[in-house]
Amino acid sequence: MSLNARFSLRRQLVTRLLWPVLVLVAVAGILAYSIGLHFANLAYDRWMYDSARALAHQVRWIDGSPKVTLPQAAIEMFEWDDIDRIYYAVTGAAGEPIYGFDGLPELPAALRSGMSPAYYDGMIDGRTVRIVVLRLPAPGGAEAVTVRVAETSAKRNILAKEILLEVLVYQALLAGAASLLIWAGIRSGLQPLAKLAEEIMARTPADLGPLLADVPQEVRPLVHSLNDLLTRLEATQAAQKRFIADASHQLRTPLSALQIQAERASRENDPDARAEALRRVNASITRITHVTHQLLTLARADPASEARQRFAPIDLARVAREVTTEWVPIALTRGVDLGYTGPETGAPVFGEAQMLKELLGNLIDNALQYNYDGGRVTVGVAAAPAAILFVEDDGPGIPPEAREKVFERFFRLPGSGGRGCGLGLAIVKEISQLHDAVVLAEPGDGGHGTRVKITFKSAPAQSFS
Ligand SMILES: Nc1ncnc2c1ncn2[C@@H]1O[C@H](COP(=O)(O)OP(=O)(O)OP(=O)(O)O)[C@@H](O)[C@H]1O
Ligand SMILES: [Mg+2]
């Protein structure tokens, strides 16, 4: 899995929130500018309209024809403006000049009749002008008169620039504030993740307890999975530590003894004594091999191991018959009658065959080892209602107070001989637990001997399909 360094939740959130907000701010700015411009133009248009009306008042009808007479003071008042130039004109019905400036841009065809007042734009001397048109109906059916006032657009342009500047400043402030709020919001929103990361960073391999950071609901599944993993890691680590402790404890002494025995054998000159010393070396090696085997089996059967991943449907009856057959020759050497009772095949369980063989081997080994010579040992399987596996002997039995203790690691009944190291039943218990089965030591039939019984959970039918 490759980590994408560019993939950052914060960056993603910022990009996804900030850009739309900035676009919105920009759109709002454009709207504010055009609304401001519209109303400013409206105000100037009104002012021009008022001028045109004042001029219209001066139109007199003398002998049915229109005349305009304006005192110089009034003309100056009309034209007075320190920024813009103002032009005015009164024309007759056919457009013939009656009064005022003669060079106003021609009326557009659409405005020649109809609406009054009307406005249009044009050019005078290379400068844009805004023009208001006012039409005066003539009294007594005489010809109509058109009054027009034009104004260059310097003031309008200055105001447009001022509005634009104002809007830009406010939009910039707004965008800045929005970015700041978004950034701070995302930062504080992601704070719990940062805290979680800190807590994980602070962990050492020895500190595998659950994570306690208070995280938002959305992150809780992640923390749950992490805690699950930590729990399993902790169990694995504990199992490993226990194995190392057990192994060093169980192997160190026999290995030192073996070394001494081997040295002694090498120094021995007498052939008989040498043979005896070598026999001891051999016995030690056998014991060490056995302990090592038991320790490794126990480690493999640990619930924290990966054994469950190898589980498959297994025919318990077949496995039991196979293992029993393997042990018959050993039973014969001890004069023990080893037999099997149960179905030929069947008794399905979900598990691992090698482990179940190990389990059964340990039980048969015990039953042969701790039985009287010439005793009887029975391996049994029952399929219903749940699969059951048992090994029964008619030996001395296990005293009631020790029936639980025998499953502990390294526990042996006082006086138990043989090469045992006290791990067999611990292995049986671990393998049983791994298979969700329950193990029990009880007296055999008629209250004699020992029966160790393993009851499996009835396996769901689909596990075997
Ligand atoms: N069938 C049995 N009859 C009588 N005692 C038993 C029987 N099975 C086990 N025990 C007693 O329980 C003890 C523990 O058995 P367990 O199989 O765990 O260890 P072990 O046989 O001593 O060593 P290992 O199996 O590792 O070689 C034995 O030492 C023995 O005293
Ligand atoms: Mg044993």
Side-chain angles (χ1 to χ4, degrees):
M1 192 180 68
S2 74
L3 284 178
N4 186 352
R6 288 166 59 83
F7 180 77
S8 141
L9 194 54
R10 180 177 306 179
R11 195 172 306 160
Q12 287 233 331
L13 287 174
V14 168
T15 339
R16 281 178 196 186
L17 284 172
L18 198 56
W19 286 118
V21 166
L22 289 183
V23 167
L24 275 181
V25 166
V27 168
I30 292 169
L31 273 178
Y33 173 66
S34 48
I35 289 172
L37 206 59
H38 171 75
F39 282 106
N41 274 329
L42 212 60
Y44 281 117
D45 282 353
R46 277 276 156 77
W47 185 81
M48 257 170 43
Y49 170 68
D50 286 345
S51 297
R53 269 172 58 94
L55 187 59
H57 267 290
Q58 303 305 318
V59 177
R60 306 265 177 271
W61 302 86
I62 298 163
D63 300 333
S65 54
K67 291 274 179 313
V68 181
T69 43
L70 269 184
Q72 188 57 34
I75 294 173
E76 278 171 13
M77 216 186 75
F78 265 128
E79 292 184 339
W80 184 84
D81 192 307
D82 53 1
I83 297 174
D84 277 305
R85 264 219 66 183
I86 292 167
Y87 308 89
Y88 54 91
V90 179
T91 45
E96 73 280 9
I98 296 174
Y99 184 77
F101 182 65
D102 198 15
L104 281 187
E106 254 191 53
L107 260 174
L111 296 182
R112 295 237 164 95
S113 59
M115 238 173 71
S116 173
Y119 299 87
Y120 70 101
D121 296 307
M123 301 282 282
I124 299 175
D125 296 337
R127 295 166 77 188
T128 52
V129 287
R130 178 86 169 149
I131 303 147
V132 58
V133 186
L134 210 64
R135 230 176 301 278
L136 295 182
E143 287 181 350
V145 157
T146 304
V147 176
R148 282 182 293 168
V149 174
E151 188 191 35
T152 52
S153 40
K155 275 201 299 289
R156 290 169 197 254
N157 290 344
I158 291 171
L159 191 69
K161 267 186 207 146
E162 278 174 359
I163 293 175
L164 185 65
L165 201 70
E166 200 89 338
V167 166
L168 277 181
V169 168
Y170 280 120
Q171 293 316 102
L173 285 176
L174 199 65
S179 314
L180 214 67
L181 286 176
I182 287 174
W183 183 79
I186 289 172
R187 199 182 137 88
S188 74
L190 292 179
Q191 201 62 29
L193 280 185
K195 279 219 180 92
L196 180 65
E198 260 171 41
E199 194 186 334
I200 296 175
M201 292 266 275
R203 287 305 175 92
T204 61
D207 176 15
L208 297 174
L211 297 166
L212 299 173
D214 190 19
V215 291
Q217 213 177 336
E218 291 79 0
V219 187
R220 251 168 243 165
L222 174 72
V223 173
H224 278 315
S225 325
L226 273 175
N227 280 343
D228 269 0
L229 181 67
L230 284 174
T231 312
R232 274 178 284 149
L233 270 177
E234 204 174 22
T236 314
Q237 211 176 55
Q240 272 172 8
K241 275 188 189 155
R242 200 161 53 171
F243 173 76
I244 292 168
D246 288 350
S248 60
H249 186 245
Q250 292 301 310
L251 295 175
R252 204 173 278 157
T253 320
L255 280 172
S256 318
L258 176 64
Q259 194 177 15
I260 294 167
Q261 284 163 355
E263 276 168 9
R264 197 175 291 163
S266 67
R267 274 190 266 110
E268 207 62 72
N269 289 325
D270 175 47
D272 283 347
R274 194 190 175 101
E276 173 58 19
L278 281 177
R279 197 193 54 74
R280 283 212 197 102
V281 167
N282 249 329
S284 281
I285 290 174
T286 310
R287 193 170 304 122
I288 290 168
T289 310
H290 177 67
V291 176
T292 311
H293 175 84
Q294 293 292 76
L295 279 170
L296 287 174
T297 309
L298 200 56
R300 271 208 308 276
D302 195 283
S305 72
E306 309 278 273
R308 261 175 210 276
Q309 288 170 9
R310 295 188 299 272
F311 273 23
I314 282 167
D315 183 340
L316 189 62
R318 184 185 298 240
V319 169
R321 281 196 306 114
E322 264 175 40
V323 179
T324 310
T325 313
E326 282 168 20
W327 280 83
V328 165
I330 302 166
L332 281 175
T333 61
R334 305 213 47 184
V336 172
D337 173 16
L338 174 62
Y340 171 79
T341 170
E344 289 268 302
T345 59
V349 293
F350 195 60
E352 216 234 322
Q354 199 48 47
M355 292 217 166
L356 290 174
K357 283 180 181 170
E358 203 67 57
L359 174 150
L360 190 52
N362 269 292
L363 291 181
I364 298 175
D365 182 45
N366 283 354
L368 295 178
Q369 237 187 96
Y370 307 117
N371 205 338
Y372 308 117
D373 283 352
R376 199 173 45 212
V377 171
T378 308
V379 175
V381 165
I388 286 179
L389 170 70
F390 68 87
V391 176
E392 184 175 340
D393 63 63
D394 54 357
I398 302 171
E401 66 276 9
R403 279 182 198 144
E404 292 218 357
K405 274 200 97 81
V406 286
F407 290 101
E408 287 174 12
R409 291 173 177 218
F410 306 115
F411 177 84
R412 307 195 74 210
L413 284 178
S416 298
R419 55 163 172 68
C421 55
L423 284 177
L425 287 178
I427 290 170
V428 169
K429 190 169 184 181
E430 294 268 278
I431 294 179
S432 301
Q433 280 172 349
L434 201 63
H435 286 78
D436 286 331
V438 179
V439 61
L440 189 75
E442 56 190 15
D445 262 351
H448 299 299
T450 307
R451 176 166 52 218
V452 181
K453 189 170 81 181
I454 290 121
T455 312
F456 291 82
K457 267 193 188 158
S458 49
Q462 71 263 27
S463 2
F464 300 99
S465 56

